Amino acid sequence: MHTLIRHRALARATAFGLLLVVNGACGKKAKETSETSPGTIESAVSAVRVVDVDLGRAVGPDKQITDKADEFKPNETIYATVHTTGTGQNTTVLTRWMYEDGQLVSERSESISPTGDAYTEFHVSKPSGLPEGKYTIHVLVNGQEVQTKDFKVEK
Amino acid sequence: MPDPNKPGDRPAADFSDVKSGSSSSAPADLPKTYTVQSGDNLSKIAKEVYGDAEKWHAIFDANRDKIKNPDLIRPGEILTLPPNA
């Protein structure tokens, strides 16, 4: 009998303790929510990560490469699509296109504010024909190089 | 005698007329939010955010799930501010 009473008392004490913990957590949550200042404009800032970089001859409306390639003719337009994931405000994705002799072919950037998977395409062409040879595309996110991709131009 | 097949002897490649472009599936700017304070109305917020009170329609359209009556917004309500309104 005494054992039963002791068990009930213990159960009550445990339940009370749990209630205190839950209450404390709720109080903390409510405080965090109420910290949003009225009349202020908020925006989300976090990281954007490059998943991969694809090259090809065409892109679809979703900016994904539809005709992947790493060898091109001099008169073709070369597309590079940077697949990113994550959320970020005003993230700069930059591609730097270099020729084999170290010359800068083109440099272009896009400012994006993705909220998940996103595809950013860059393209390069030369009406008089791109010189034959090896090229490298350097992909930078917010000024940091994250990936490179090589391709060839041949007749 | 320069050898055109030897990379060092080739004339420098010309990239002067290279054309380039870019576009993204991601928006250039994320929607921002605004916490309504006492005395606010949609025109006032539009004037403050976009510099044009007439753009209250854009805020109303972006928040139709929260605002049933555009003349009635409550302090503490968090509104989405569409980019490029």
Side-chain angles (χ1 to χ4, degrees):
Chain A
M1 184 68 184
H2 282 296
T3 312
L4 184 63
I5 290 169
R6 213 176 292 137
H7 275 170
R8 279 183 182 162
L10 185 66
R12 273 195 211 110
T14 309
F16 183 65
L18 276 175
L19 268 176
L20 281 179
V21 170
V22 171
N23 222 2
C26 289
K28 192 176 176 202
K29 180 92 179 164
K31 195 180 171 196
E32 277 169 5
T33 310
S34 67
E35 276 171 6
T36 309
S37 323
T40 55
I41 300 163
E42 307 281 335
S43 59
V45 179
S46 70
V48 171
R49 191 173 60 83
V50 170
V51 178
D52 54 30
V53 178
D54 283 329
L55 299 177
R57 297 185 179 87
V59 289
D62 57 0
K63 312 300 177 192
Q64 292 191 55
I65 298 284
T66 53
D67 182 10
K68 286 187 186 179
D70 56 9
E71 286 188 20
F72 302 88
K73 302 285 180 204
N75 61 347
E76 286 180 325
T77 298
I78 301 163
Y79 290 87
T81 286
V82 181
H83 174 196
T84 53
T85 188
T87 300
Q89 179 83 19
N90 297 325
T91 300
T92 302
V93 181
L94 181 144
T95 52
R96 187 175 290 142
W97 305 58
M98 305 295 294
Y99 188 52
E100 61 187 16
D101 65 358
Q103 272 198 81
L104 178 67
V105 177
S106 172
E107 186 173 290
R108 188 151 181 123
S109 66
E110 271 283 313
S111 179
I112 60 169
S113 298
T115 53
D117 280 16
Y119 295 86
T120 305
E121 68 81 14
F122 298 86
H123 57 271
V124 158
S125 65
K126 189 171 184 289
S128 59
L130 282 162
E132 286 183 81
K134 292 176 183 168
Y135 294 74
T136 303
I137 302 174
H138 300 259
V139 179
L140 291 84
V141 173
N142 288 336
Q144 288 211 314
E145 186 169 303
V146 289
Q147 215 167 111
T148 61
K149 206 84 178 177
D150 297 328
F151 69 90
K152 268 187 202 172
V153 172
E154 283 179 339
K155 280 185 184 160
Chain B
M1 181 83 181
D3 178 3
N5 293 320
K6 206 173 147 192
D9 290 345
R10 275 188 222 158
D14 173 26
F15 295 104
S16 57
D17 62 337
V18 164
K19 292 179 189 286
S20 65
S22 56
S23 59
S24 183
S25 65
D29 209 359
L30 276 182
K32 294 181 172 70
T33 59
Y34 180 93
T35 307
V36 177
Q37 55 186 326
S38 181
D40 273 347
N41 57 56
L42 291 185
S43 300
K44 187 180 165 192
I45 297 168
K47 174 82 178 161
E48 187 182 320
V49 175
Y50 304 116
D52 183 355
E54 290 301 309
K55 291 193 172 169
W56 70 266
H57 289 278
I59 302 176
F60 180 47
D61 286 342
N63 293 279
R64 281 186 185 269
D65 56 328
K66 297 171 210 156
I67 307 172
K68 302 300 169 209
N69 177 354
D71 293 325
L72 189 62
I73 55 173
R74 292 180 183 85
E77 234 170 2
I78 297 170
L79 304 180
T80 301
L81 300 175
N84 311 317

